[in-house]
Amino acid sequence: MLKETAEKLNNQAIMFASRGDYTEAIACFMRAITIENSNSLLWFNLGITCRDAGNLVGAREALTKAYTINDTDEEIIEALALVCFSLGDFMSALYYCEDGLDYNPHNPHLWNTLGVIHFNRRLYNEACSAFEQAISLNPYYYDALFNLRDTYSELGNKQGESECIKRMKEIEKHGEPK
């Protein structure tokens, strides 16, 4: 009989999750975690799978564990911030975004997530700054442009709104340059 390893179980779990079989995927991740409890990737993958299965509380628990193991992994931080946001815990979402940006202020995804949090709290000027920062780091970041367009609309900035629409149409037409 072949020895069960955390890596094999992780790969098997990813396969189950990709087919939408979240119960089996979660079971595999849990077995893998019993083998390698301090593996942040296993906890991260468990959290993403719980999120995809609609279990946001389980996702938060797993992602928080991944974060305690590896608090500089930007994918973990972003996923954790988004799950906290989805749970309505804006303060925690804000904390994780700011923590991630302290570590890497050049991450456009975290700037965009920060903007979404501010926008949903109706802090439009703060949201605007965050979305503008995301776009300054990646001018072809469609989601950030979309969000900035909506923020400019809330702020009554018609010129900014039309500039975002123009850039979004260019991206839709030509795609991101290679």
Side-chain angles (χ1 to χ4, degrees):
M1 173 144 165
L2 292 172
K3 185 177 185 308
E4 209 170 47
T5 66
E7 183 181 5
K8 286 179 188 172
L9 287 165
N10 182 58
N11 293 339
Q12 192 175 12
I14 290 170
M15 190 179 64
F16 282 128
S18 72
R19 295 194 303 231
D21 192 349
Y22 300 120
T23 304
E24 280 299 317
I26 290 168
C28 284
F29 285 129
M30 295 305 290
R31 281 202 316 274
I33 286 168
T34 63
I35 297 168
E36 288 185 25
N37 189 50
S38 61
N39 183 328
S40 64
L41 177 64
L42 295 174
W43 286 104
F44 171 75
N45 287 342
L46 174 63
I48 296 301
T49 303
C50 287
R51 180 203 65 196
D52 292 350
N55 178 359
L56 293 179
V57 172
R60 181 180 184 158
E61 290 170 3
L63 291 168
T64 300
K65 179 67 176 175
Y67 175 78
T68 61
I69 296 167
N70 185 354
D71 66 356
T72 59
D73 184 305
E74 294 171 51
E75 283 186 86
I76 293 171
I77 295 167
E78 184 180 1
L80 185 52
L82 288 168
V83 166
C84 289
F85 174 79
S86 296
L87 286 166
D89 183 354
F90 297 141
M91 293 290 86
S92 292
L94 200 58
Y95 168 81
Y96 291 117
C97 278
E98 289 173 348
D99 188 51
L101 289 168
D102 283 346
Y103 175 71
N104 180 6
H106 303 291
N107 182 320
H109 295 281
L110 285 173
W111 282 110
N112 185 61
T113 301
L114 182 64
V116 169
I117 295 164
H118 287 317
F119 186 92
N120 279 275
R121 296 178 68 214
R122 294 184 169 84
L123 301 171
Y124 300 121
N125 287 320
E126 290 87 340
C128 184
S129 295
F131 294 135
E132 287 173 346
Q133 186 64 34
I135 292 165
S136 75
L137 294 167
N138 178 358
Y140 301 95
Y141 191 175
Y142 190 89
D143 289 349
L145 276 168
F146 183 93
N147 293 332
L148 183 59
R149 178 203 64 194
D150 290 353
T151 306
Y152 281 153
S153 175
E154 289 292 333
L155 292 169
N157 180 345
K158 298 295 180 203
Q159 184 180 349
E161 189 178 354
S162 67
E163 181 62 29
C164 287
I165 292 168
K166 185 176 127 195
R167 288 177 62 188
M168 288 164 60
K169 285 179 181 173
E170 288 172 14
I171 294 169
E172 288 168 1
K173 186 176 178 182
H174 301 291
E176 188 174 330
K178 302 294 178 214

